[in-house]
Amino acid sequence: MKDPQFQAYLKADPKGAMEMLDRITKKLKDKKFVEDLEKAHRNKKSTSIGPDSIYEDYYAYVTTTLVQQNNGYYCGPASALMAIWGWGGNVSGANNYAKQQTLGTAMGTNQTDGTYVYMLRNVLNSYISTNQYDYYGNWSLDWSTFMAYSFASLTADRAPIIRANTQTLSYYGGRSFIHYITITDFDYSTMRMCLYDPHIDNTYYGAHSEPSYNVFDACTYLIANA
């Protein structure tokens, strides 16, 4: 309730905010939920789960295309566009720049605030009717829950998105930005994740393999279907 991102959501949509809070609180309190998630994923055989996705016993991924953000504050729309493409969705616009503009307008993205977490989540959900997203603050997740939720989202054909403090990600070399990044795969056998980073700076833009504990440490919010 003290979180500024949740306060913004509560002010804009009290009913929606409280419904989400009630739903995720029940899941977070249910330790068996996480155990069952991990057990179910590890017992499933390799299979296709969507037009561009697959999971194996310990590995899940979503196939999408890298997108570089339009400007210094459009990481939210760019990350969302990659997630939408990951389930075979489409966004109106003649090109990637215009598609980001479509999403950014819907999210209320601006130079002062960037993109609010709840708005990114809500706009993602406006493109799907099943396997919708929720978001979780880093104070509510331990490492095992973060991994289970990320894996679950990938197996549901929904690429997770993190709002990160990039300082702990190796390819940032200690530089700190508040920044949205899309997770496109997770391998339990190696404990590594692939991050599709839309950063405007080519130093950081691209696909990066990171230890999952680095990603967990960087994550300030996880937006996932779990």
Side-chain angles (χ1 to χ4, degrees):
M1 294 298 291
K2 295 179 181 178
D3 170 50
Q5 291 286 326
F6 183 75
Q7 288 175 357
Y9 190 10
L10 188 63
K11 183 178 180 181
D13 179 9
K15 184 174 184 289
M18 293 308 296
E19 285 177 349
M20 188 196 76
L21 181 62
D22 181 59
R23 182 171 58 254
I24 66 174
T25 300
K26 287 176 181 176
K27 286 191 288 187
L28 288 166
K29 285 181 178 179
D30 185 2
K31 296 300 181 184
K32 189 173 182 298
F33 175 78
V34 177
E35 292 171 3
D36 287 347
L37 271 180
E38 292 182 313
K39 187 183 297 183
H41 300 327
R42 295 185 186 205
N43 287 338
K44 289 175 180 175
K45 296 180 180 180
S46 301
T47 182
S48 174
I49 58 173
D52 298 298
S53 310
I54 197 167
Y55 66 78
E56 299 177 5
D57 291 349
Y58 293 93
Y59 178 54
Y61 69 84
V62 168
T63 300
T64 187
T65 302
L66 268 166
V67 174
Q68 193 162 27
Q69 63 197 74
N70 289 354
N71 53 48
Y73 58 92
Y74 250 54
C75 53
S79 294
L81 182 57
M82 290 188 283
I84 291 168
W85 280 344
W87 70 68
N90 190 37
V91 176
S92 62
N95 50 42
N96 290 353
Y97 187 95
K99 291 177 188 294
Q100 287 186 55
Q101 288 291 113
T102 297
L103 293 171
T105 299
M107 294 175 188
T109 302
N110 63 81
Q111 192 167 6
T112 302
D113 302 312
T115 305
Y116 280 109
V117 176
Y118 81 91
M119 288 296 290
L120 196 157
R121 172 256 188 186
N122 288 354
V123 170
L124 282 173
N125 286 344
S126 73
Y127 282 83
I128 44 177
S129 58
T130 60
N131 298 332
Q132 291 194 321
Y133 287 82
D134 279 321
Y135 74 84
Y136 304 84
N138 61 352
W139 59 88
S140 65
L141 299 172
D142 57 24
W143 184 34
S144 63
T145 306
F146 171 78
M147 292 189 297
Y149 281 20
S150 297
F151 196 91
S153 199
L154 288 164
T155 65
D157 210 15
R158 306 290 182 252
I161 295 172
I162 59 169
R163 183 177 183 265
N165 182 329
T166 61
Q167 190 169 13
T168 66
L169 299 175
S170 62
Y171 63 97
Y172 275 89
R175 295 203 66 186
S176 177
F177 301 98
I178 301 301
H179 182 52
Y180 287 104
I181 303 171
T182 304
I183 299 172
T184 59
D185 80 35
F186 177 39
D187 189 339
Y188 260 115
S189 63
T190 62
M191 291 297 181
R192 297 187 73 87
M193 291 178 160
C194 183
L195 305 182
Y196 272 26
D197 192 325
H199 206 288
I200 192 69
D201 187 333
N202 287 330
T203 305
Y204 312 112
Y205 169 69
H208 304 273
S209 177
E210 279 286 309
S212 59
Y213 53 80
N214 281 7
V215 184
F216 171 67
D217 287 343
C219 178
T220 62
Y221 295 90
L222 173 67
I223 305 167
N225 166 247

